[in-house]
Amino acid sequence: MNNKAVILGTNYYIGLSTIRCLGVQDIHTVAVDYSYENTYGAHSKYCSERVIAPHYKENKQQFIDFLIDYARKQTAPPVLIPCHDSYVEVIDEYLDELKQHYLIPQTEQGLYTEVMNKETLHALATKHGVLVPETVRLHEENFYEKIDEIIGYPCIVKPVDSPSFVAKFRKKIFQVENRQELDEALRKSEEAGLEVIVQRIIPGFDDHMHTFDAYLNQDSKVTHWVTCQKHRQYPINFGASVYTEQKYIPELYEVGAKFLEDIGFKGFAEIEFKKDAETGNFYLIEINARITNLNHLLYKVGINFPYITYRELTGSPLQSKAVTENTNTAFWYVYEDILAIKGYIKTGQLSTKDVLQSLLKKKAYAIWDWKDPKPAISFLQMIAGKKFRRSSN
């Protein structure tokens, strides 16, 4: 096929996994970044082409102009695949313009942002009868009374716009134990100009976190799906997956597929759920509207979401498929999992025996691949360079 796959962001293993998933199918992959620095994903042998674009936030219009100019030079419209939330936001903002030059699964401008924004997602889920954690907003009447009566302590202060919050604080939420800590978290958020909400913590250890990963075609019907169970996250308790296994949980399909179809979603989405340890109910936590951290695991168990996206958009969709058995296979981001394990053991949430037993599974590594070692070598050089600069200061 003449259609190239343009991958936005290769300074993280999501972009690397996307390049590999397409490259093994002999698709021409184009790694787009704003800098050569730390873009270890572009060192993959499956990366066909590298280009440097203006920064997607600092020079947004120039970035869009660059993408359009690139597409105009091609013999066929490229498939556009963002690998970071910030890229998704920009694509959504300029969706109508970009769709004239690129193949993009979503057709409704604003829907990407609506499901990524915690406030609008909460309203959308409630409208469609999907459970979400109890939430209090800053400007509600009797704010502190509602915190005491509905939410309770400890609770979380959660950003409406996750990418901006993570960029500022290097964490996904603030966990607060009392009113004093709540006020401090609200002050920090206000000073940073970031809107937040306060939510109840759904009871249950990190292994109560689950994902429903799905592709929806241009008729907004789920054609491919996998369910997973997290074991460890980093930062611990409220972070990203570092050790997660594929696990067949049909209830997640029943809730997740219906919701995504009802809202007219198209393309890949990952819904994160948490199972209430006391009631057994699944609560929707967030939606990732781009290729997920777990992508290599999903590929290893038989669902190649980047390639599914590519094939449908280029007019030759793949046959529907779901993973409806347990494969005893786990995604493993070794570098951050080591940090997570230290935290879990230090806080008494896991024992060394728990950790060792969990590792007795087939692995889908975040970065390492015997057939494609250069990205891992580049990653290790990057980490070593950062540690050296810290020790020198």
Side-chain angles (χ1 to χ4, degrees):
M1 296 180 182
N2 293 328
N3 308 82
K4 295 180 179 181
V6 172
I7 293 108
L8 304 180
T10 61
N11 61 346
Y12 199 51
Y13 56 80
I14 297 176
L16 168 62
S17 179
T18 300
I19 287 172
R20 285 172 170 166
C21 281
L22 294 166
V24 294
Q25 299 293 336
D26 294 323
I27 307 300
H28 184 106
T29 59
V30 184
V32 177
D33 291 284
Y34 57 84
S35 168
Y36 285 111
E37 188 177 2
N38 299 337
T39 55
Y40 59 88
H43 294 169
S44 169
K45 70 178 185 180
Y46 298 108
C47 181
S48 312
E49 185 181 344
R50 293 182 72 178
V51 294
I52 300 299
H55 196 283
Y56 56 87
K57 271 191 175 178
E58 295 171 6
N59 302 289
K60 192 185 295 184
Q61 187 59 58
Q62 293 96 313
F63 172 69
I64 296 299
D65 291 342
F66 176 90
L67 288 181
I68 291 172
D69 183 60
Y70 180 86
R72 282 175 173 157
K73 295 174 182 176
Q74 309 309 312
T75 57
V79 176
L80 190 61
I81 303 180
C83 292
H84 188 277
D85 290 342
S86 295
Y87 282 118
V88 178
E89 291 175 342
V90 175
I91 289 173
D92 198 25
E93 184 178 348
Y94 291 88
L95 184 63
D96 293 340
E97 196 174 343
L98 287 169
K99 281 189 74 71
Q100 297 176 39
H101 307 277
Y102 284 91
L103 301 177
I104 303 169
Q106 195 54 259
T107 56
E108 181 186 338
Q109 187 168 26
L111 187 55
Y112 277 145
T113 303
E114 191 171 4
V115 300
M116 289 170 62
N117 179 289
K118 301 303 185 291
E119 186 72 37
T120 51
L121 174 61
H122 189 283
L124 202 58
T126 302
K127 177 183 175 182
H128 289 275
V130 178
L131 291 174
V132 287
E134 291 81 353
T135 301
V136 175
R137 292 151 190 85
L138 267 62
H139 304 299
E140 290 186 28
E141 290 185 11
N142 305 315
F143 173 76
Y144 289 106
E145 288 84 349
K146 288 180 178 178
I147 297 296
D148 292 333
E149 296 170 9
I150 301 172
I151 307 296
Y153 295 101
C155 58
I156 59 174
V157 176
K158 190 174 184 178
V160 169
D161 177 10
S162 285
S164 298
F165 189 93
V166 172
K168 173 65 178 178
F169 296 112
R170 299 300 173 188
K171 58 175 67 177
K172 296 179 77 172
I173 55 95
F174 290 130
Q175 179 173 339
V176 298
E177 303 293 329
N178 49 52
R179 178 166 173 173
Q180 182 179 352
E181 291 185 8
L182 172 62
D183 286 341
E184 177 66 10
L186 296 179
R187 181 189 64 77
K188 288 180 179 178
S189 302
E190 183 179 10
E191 288 179 354
L194 296 170
E195 185 181 355
V196 293
I197 54 180
V198 183
Q199 281 190 344
R200 178 173 78 94
I201 296 176
I202 304 302
F205 179 58
D206 290 3
D207 61 1
H208 283 61
M209 293 294 300
H210 299 78
T211 67
F212 171 67
D213 295 273
Y215 186 83
L216 291 91
N217 65 15
Q218 290 300 291
D219 295 322
S220 294
K221 297 297 179 184
V222 171
T223 59
H224 298 77
W225 59 275
V226 188
T227 54
C228 302
Q229 178 184 15
K230 291 188 181 184
H231 287 284
R232 294 188 290 277
Q233 308 178 96
Y234 186 77
I236 63 172
N237 307 136
F238 298 99
S241 298
V242 292
Y243 196 76
T244 297
E245 75 169 309
Q246 176 277 322
K247 189 171 184 180
Y248 174 53
I249 307 169
E251 187 177 348
L252 296 182
Y253 169 77
E254 293 164 11
V255 177
K258 184 179 186 305
F259 176 62
L260 291 172
E261 291 178 352
D262 285 350
I263 66 175
F265 197 88
K266 297 174 183 178
F268 175 80
E270 177 183 79
I271 305 180
E272 290 196 13
F273 290 96
K274 186 169 185 182
K275 186 177 184 179
D276 190 315
E278 297 172 359
T279 66
N281 293 327
F282 285 98
Y283 284 77
L284 187 154
I285 303 299
E286 66 179 11
I287 291 183
N288 294 313
R290 41 84 186 144
I291 300 298
T292 172
N293 298 44
L294 310 176
N295 187 60
H296 189 53
L297 169 63
L298 309 180
Y299 169 73
K300 288 274 282 189
V301 300
I303 309 290
N304 186 339
F305 281 109
Y307 188 53
I308 291 163
T309 304
Y310 183 93
R311 284 287 296 267
E312 197 213 1
L313 296 180
T314 54
S316 53
L318 295 170
Q319 186 175 355
S320 298
K321 184 178 179 181
V323 180
T324 55
E325 61 182 3
N326 296 329
T327 62
N328 194 40
T329 306
F331 163 82
W332 196 15
Y333 182 24
V334 180
Y335 175 68
E336 286 195 347
D337 192 32
I338 291 171
L339 302 175
I341 289 167
K342 289 179 180 178
Y344 286 117
I345 292 176
K346 184 178 180 180
T347 56
Q349 297 180 61
L350 287 176
S351 66
T352 302
K353 182 181 177 181
D354 294 329
V355 173
L356 292 175
Q357 286 181 337
S358 75
L359 294 174
L360 300 176
K361 300 180 188 296
K362 292 179 285 186
K363 307 295 191 304
Y365 296 101
I367 299 172
W368 176 250
D369 187 333
W370 284 103
K371 297 178 182 178
D372 186 28
K374 285 183 68 176
I377 295 169
S378 176
F379 174 80
L380 291 173
Q381 289 172 336
M382 179 186 77
I383 296 300
K386 288 181 178 179
K387 290 186 180 296
F388 177 77
R389 285 191 291 272
R390 279 198 214 105
S391 65
S392 300
N393 293 334

